[in-house]
Amino acid sequence: MEPLGLRAVGSHCSLSEMDDLDLTRALDKPRLKIERKRSFDERSMSELSAGYGRHDGLHDSPRGRSVLDTPLSSARNCFEPHPMMAEAWEALRRSMVFFRGHPVGTLAAVDNTTDEVLNYDQVFVRDFVPSALAFLMNGESDIVKHFLLKTLQLQDSEKRVDRFKLGKGVMPASFKVRHDPVREMDHLVADFGETAIGRVAPVDSGFWWIILLRAYTKSTGDLTLSETPECQKGIKLILSLCLAEGFDTFPTLLCADGCSMIDRRMGVYGYPIEIQALFYMALRCALSMLKPDGDGRECIEQITKRLHALSFHMRNYFWLDYQQLNDIYRYKTEEYSHTAVNKFNVMPDSIPDWVFDFMPLRGGYFVGNVGPAHMDFRWFALGNCVSILSSLATPDQSMAIMDLLEHRWAELVGEMPLKICYPCLEGHEWRIITGCDPKNTRWSYHNGGSWPVLLWQLTAACIKTGRPQIARRAVDLIESRLHRDCWPEYYDGKLGRYVGKQARKYQTWSIAGYLVAKMLLEDPSHIGMISLEEDKLMKPVIKRSASWPQL
């Protein structure tokens, strides 16, 4: 198959002859099938055999029998493939990008209904994750390996925005293949944020790269890739940006607005839940792959200390349930000394009216952001789902998040899974926070829009918590419309009833997210790729209510 030629983007970073380094040639050798190593955060896990036991990253449900106790044959026999699956695979394969004969990723969208390409003709790191998982679950690992290698090599490029040089560990937001007609060869051109809206570097790209590297290793049993000096260095460079000492008084990661999936101004600057959850998961994935030799030992020690502090901070200060909401409502302000209860000086009058009615007696979630005198009470789907998969959420908190989803199905799911955040910003608040963004109007795009790609994370979280019926209900909604609507990027409206006003058709991660969700339900053993068991060594004592009051 001929390599796909893609239009160029303005960037100082390219990859040409360096693509054929010895690293690539060495890794093209047949893989060694080695039994995977177990790190301290996976000691309680066992491999699946003929029947379902406990999975990598799975708990026995504290409140009932898990679907994972069902024999594999029974689970498969009760699962009927939907006709959409074949078309989804065909569409996913049409989006594949080739570089010098090797598949290296998938385009963001292949929408032939419009001539306006924008940047949808690029391979985005975050967008490729569900595509990669679909290929891995289907036994096609080469495209994932080549993607990991090419983005790793792009990381080593010099990165500049105007006259400012970015850190060595920054991973690209996206890349594309450009053909040089003079030299008659292709090379990769990366975007590290210098052409993005707002010129913001993607903080989440490096975290997703680490998470995907672990998923590849877990799926294939091939340790040779993650253990190469190049991959070990890449992991350390990414984490060096996050673990460096500075002025921070919190273990959370300080970020600019628009540095993740929500890549436009939406008031998520500071300490957004999505970044903290991905940061926590990437730290744990890195801990399982780093070799304890040389500077690797020091990095492991830094990670371990940060994980302890981060898990305590998030589980205590980001968690909100009925009891905690009532406590915040009664907070005193302007407290000094170490005995302060209201440590962030959150003003009770800043609690929005909607949250009092939204919060059920049984259920809870991680709020969107917590900082000095600031608490963003919005619900963000990705951050809460990743919190479950990474075990940042305790088992009780994970079940409470699922309870909230069931109680508030109409608000968080509606007619099309899944609200990226809830509620939307509107009126004066929208004007101030978004800067009157015409794309993020109320219940649209990142401002309360419904994103089908989030189905795979919801499904994985449901399976981990033993609540697959929630995922099946969401999948049924997807199958009633997504194919008919030509796989749009997002939906608009309070219930997610309308195809988004600027949504691309044949959006690749909408397609891949559906495939991953279906394959997870068909064979829940795949969850081990993207789920981590709770680490007993880092379990903090939580003094406040963990999920709901005892009635």
Side-chain angles (χ1 to χ4, degrees), residues 27 100 113 131 137 155 294 306 308 340 349 372 391 444 455 500 506:
L27 288 168
R100 298 181 182 175
T113 64
S131 297
M137 291 177 187
Q155 181 197 41
R306 189 63 166 263
H308 277 276
D349 287 344
S391 289
S444 180
L455 177 69
Y506 294 97

Side-chain angles (χ1 to χ4, degrees), residues 372-430:
H374 172 62
M375 182 173 283
D376 183 349
F377 290 88
R378 285 177 294 174
W379 148 276
F380 288 86
L382 194 154
N384 277 275
C385 288
V386 173
S387 295
I388 292 174
L389 295 176
S390 65
S391 289
L392 173 59
T394 66
D396 282 346
Q397 288 173 338
S398 297
M399 299 304 287
I401 293 170
M402 290 292 107
D403 286 339
L404 179 74
L405 269 165
E406 287 193 304
H407 280 293
R408 296 290 176 249
W409 184 265
E411 292 89 345
L412 301 179
V413 181
E415 297 181 12
M416 177 57 63
L418 180 64
K419 287 294 179 192
I420 191 171
C421 68
Y422 180 89
C424 71
L425 302 171
E426 51 188 332
H428 180 69
E429 188 179 33
W430 167 78

Side-chain angles (χ1 to χ4, degrees), residues 467-480:
R467 310 276 278 273
Q469 71 279 2
I470 299 177
R472 291 194 185 101
R473 188 179 173 190
V475 168
D476 287 344
L477 289 173
I478 287 280
E479 290 179 337
S480 70

Side-chain angles (χ1 to χ4, degrees), residues 87-276:
E87 175 156 344
W89 273 113
E90 183 180 344
L92 182 61
R93 296 192 192 286
R94 282 199 303 268
S95 72
M96 291 172 65
V97 175
F98 288 79
F99 177 67
R100 298 181 182 175
H102 296 293
V104 293
T106 51
L107 298 174
V110 185
D111 186 355
N112 296 322
T113 64
T114 177
D115 295 328
E116 193 177 17
V117 177
L118 298 178
N119 60 353
Y120 287 85
D121 63 344
Q122 300 181 30
V123 179
F124 282 83
V125 172
R126 75 174 67 94
D127 291 39
F128 180 66
V129 171
S131 297
L133 295 175
F135 285 122
L136 288 173
M137 291 177 187
N138 203 44
E140 301 175 55
S141 60
D142 282 351
I143 185 172
V144 182
K145 182 179 74 172
H146 290 300
F147 169 84
L148 290 166
L149 287 172
K150 297 310 175 190
T151 47
L152 180 64
Q153 291 167 351
L154 287 169
Q155 181 197 41
D156 201 39
S157 308
E158 185 180 80
K159 312 173 258 289
R160 288 185 180 274
V161 176
D162 294 331
R163 298 183 180 183
F164 184 73
K165 186 176 180 180
L166 279 68
K168 290 183 178 180
V170 176
M171 279 289 187
S174 62
F175 65 85
K176 63 195 308 182
V177 178
R178 183 166 65 187
H179 181 70
D180 185 342
V182 176
R183 303 176 67 183
E184 295 187 349
M185 65 185 306
D186 295 332
H187 61 274
L188 299 182
V189 179
D191 176 19
F192 291 91
E194 69 269 33
T195 67
I197 296 173
R199 303 299 186 264
V200 179
V203 175
D204 62 338
S205 286
F207 299 153
W208 279 123
W209 187 88
I210 292 174
I211 293 166
L212 186 56
L213 178 61
R214 177 189 175 273
Y216 170 87
T217 303
K218 298 287 290 184
S219 175
T220 63
D222 174 21
L223 300 174
T224 58
L225 180 59
S226 64
E227 292 186 348
T228 58
E230 291 79 6
C231 279
Q232 292 286 305
K233 178 185 176 183
I235 294 171
K236 294 169 192 172
L237 284 175
I238 293 169
L239 297 184
S240 68
L241 299 172
C242 313
L243 299 175
E245 295 180 351
F247 294 100
D248 296 308
T249 55
F250 314 132
T252 42
L253 203 59
L254 183 63
C255 303
D257 222 337
C259 67
S260 58
M261 178 181 176
I262 298 178
D263 58 1
R264 301 169 75 93
R265 183 175 162 190
M266 270 291 293
V268 293
Y269 57 87
Y271 306 93
I273 178 60
E274 176 179 337
I275 291 298
Q276 312 315 319

